[in-house]
Amino acid sequence: MPGTSPSVTWWAQRAPAASAAVLATGTLSVGLDLSGYEVLSHITLGLACAAWLMFAADFTRRLLRAGTRWRAYARRPGVLESVTTAALTTVAATAVLGTAFSAAGSQALAVTLLVLAVLLWPVPLVLVPQGGERRKPGTVFARCMATQGLAVLGATLAAAESEAWFAHAALVLFWLGLVLYVLALVRFDVRQVAGGTGDHWLAGGALALSALAGARLLSADSARLYLWNEDDRDVLRTVTVVLLVLALVCYAVLLAAEFLWPRPRHDVRRWATVFTWAKTGTAALAVAVALDVSWLDGFGEALLWIAVAAWLVAAAWTAASARSGLLPGRPVRSRARR
């Protein structure tokens, strides 16, 4: 569109998917740590940090360049929604990085990332873009993901620091995240199952992230903290198991849909698919630990290695696209028509 700002074009095409790459990589780090692959976990954590820093620096540069014009740009259709989604996925990515650092033993850095994520979380959470269609793509689950990401990090820090208030705050966020999931599901366009190009997988990714939050809340309990009584623990255990089962069912349905309705495999939104695969495996591993279910551990590790393979494919395609100068988020054929 002539006269459209490069910043507007950039946000409309890339912002949410760029932070999904950080989410996917950080989640792999957490999952690999749960599986006992410490070296690989540290490597992927380093890659996630590098991607997070690049994304943050690029966002800041473009924001400063736009200056006061952002207020006018935000009124354009789709721009405010894209920025809001990017901010929410950045909150989730920051929380995932904090969880990975906590697993690596860097509790102070994990707390710092928690504070940063909490500060970034409220504004995009309540910001509702004006206009637009009623039915939304998979990014509609971003509010749930950001909230449950904070719940996971809070519960992880509660166990690491033996601080009960972390767990109690995480529990509130956990239930809020479930409410946000239901609200998002009402607005989700189910036609995306047949025609979505990657981010529709977040419908399952948000469920897996919620199951991970429940598992971490269960694991945070101890004789020293005594977070939950027997009734509370039974409810939390039941909800966590149900969430994991729903996440696995969603995984199976969406995977079957990929074969029934073939679609482009190479799109930057595929990072959301990689995130969901990695999060489902990680959630299964965490639930196996929390509930002491040994067979689930092997199943979760198998899902995690599938996600590792998908991550390698997505990373190779992203690198190839960058070298060829393609616009992220835009299929090759669309460039040929311009």
Side-chain angles (χ1 to χ4, degrees):
M1 178 178 174
T4 301
S5 163
S7 297
V8 174
T9 302
W10 183 84
W11 274 110
Q13 293 170 355
R14 186 173 66 177
S19 46
V22 184
L23 266 173
T25 310
T27 298
L28 277 183
S29 177
V30 175
L32 288 168
D33 180 79
L34 282 171
S35 296
Y37 299 98
E38 187 175 341
V39 174
L40 288 177
S41 176
H42 290 170
I43 291 173
T44 51
L45 177 56
L47 292 173
C49 288
W52 188 91
L53 289 171
M54 289 173 61
F55 177 74
D58 198 29
F59 168 73
T60 303
R61 178 176 63 85
R62 292 177 184 273
L63 185 62
L64 292 176
R65 180 185 295 176
T68 57
R69 292 176 295 168
W70 269 107
R71 183 173 299 177
Y73 296 154
R75 298 192 184 99
R76 299 188 181 186
V79 174
L80 182 58
E81 184 168 1
S82 181
V83 173
T84 300
T85 302
L88 288 165
T89 50
T90 300
V91 170
T94 303
V96 166
L97 285 182
T99 302
F101 273 114
S102 179
S106 301
Q107 306 307 330
L109 186 53
V111 171
T112 300
L113 289 171
L114 175 62
V115 171
L116 178 60
V118 168
L119 291 175
L120 292 173
W121 172 65
V123 174
L125 182 72
V126 300
L127 193 61
V128 180
Q130 299 298 317
E133 70 278 10
R134 181 177 180 274
R135 294 294 177 178
K136 302 291 184 180
T139 51
V140 73
F141 295 99
R143 285 176 173 80
C144 169
M145 291 165 50
T147 306
Q148 294 292 19
L150 293 175
V152 171
L153 180 51
T156 301
L157 285 171
E161 297 287 295
S162 295
E163 291 288 348
W165 73 269
F166 274 127
H168 293 146
L171 182 63
V172 173
L173 292 169
F174 172 71
W175 293 117
L176 175 59
L178 295 184
V179 172
L180 291 172
Y181 184 89
V182 173
L183 294 176
L185 187 61
V186 171
R187 301 201 67 191
F188 177 58
D189 186 357
V190 294
R191 294 173 298 180
Q192 291 286 309
V193 174
T197 54
D199 58 10
H200 62 292
W201 276 85
L202 293 178
L207 283 172
L209 182 55
S210 300
L212 176 60
R216 285 297 171 93
L217 284 166
L218 287 167
S219 297
D221 201 5
S222 65
R224 178 179 177 183
L225 292 181
Y226 188 67
L227 297 172
W228 329 118
N229 59 37
E230 194 60 36
D231 290 339
D232 294 337
R233 188 172 181 82
D234 286 344
V235 170
L236 194 53
R237 183 189 297 112
T238 301
V239 172
T240 299
V241 170
V242 169
L243 287 170
L244 180 61
V245 170
L246 290 175
L248 292 173
V249 170
C250 194
Y251 187 111
V253 170
L254 293 175
L255 187 61
E258 294 280 351
F259 293 98
L260 290 173
W261 296 285
R263 64 205 77 186
R265 306 299 184 192
H266 301 304
D267 190 291
V268 72
R269 284 166 291 190
R270 279 299 177 187
W271 279 112
T273 305
V274 178
F275 160 73
T276 297
W277 291 9
K279 187 59 71 178
T280 305
T282 302
L285 289 167
V287 172
V289 173
L291 302 183
D292 193 22
V293 183
S294 58
W295 66 266
L296 192 56
D297 187 73
F299 180 69
E301 187 168 341
L303 291 178
L304 188 67
W305 283 112
I306 293 173
V308 170
W311 185 94
L312 291 172
V313 172
W317 177 81
T318 300
S321 297
R323 285 197 301 270
S324 63
L326 296 178
L327 285 173
R330 181 170 296 181
V332 175
R333 62 179 182 275
S334 67
R335 192 186 183 206
R337 291 198 300 263
R338 290 175 59 189

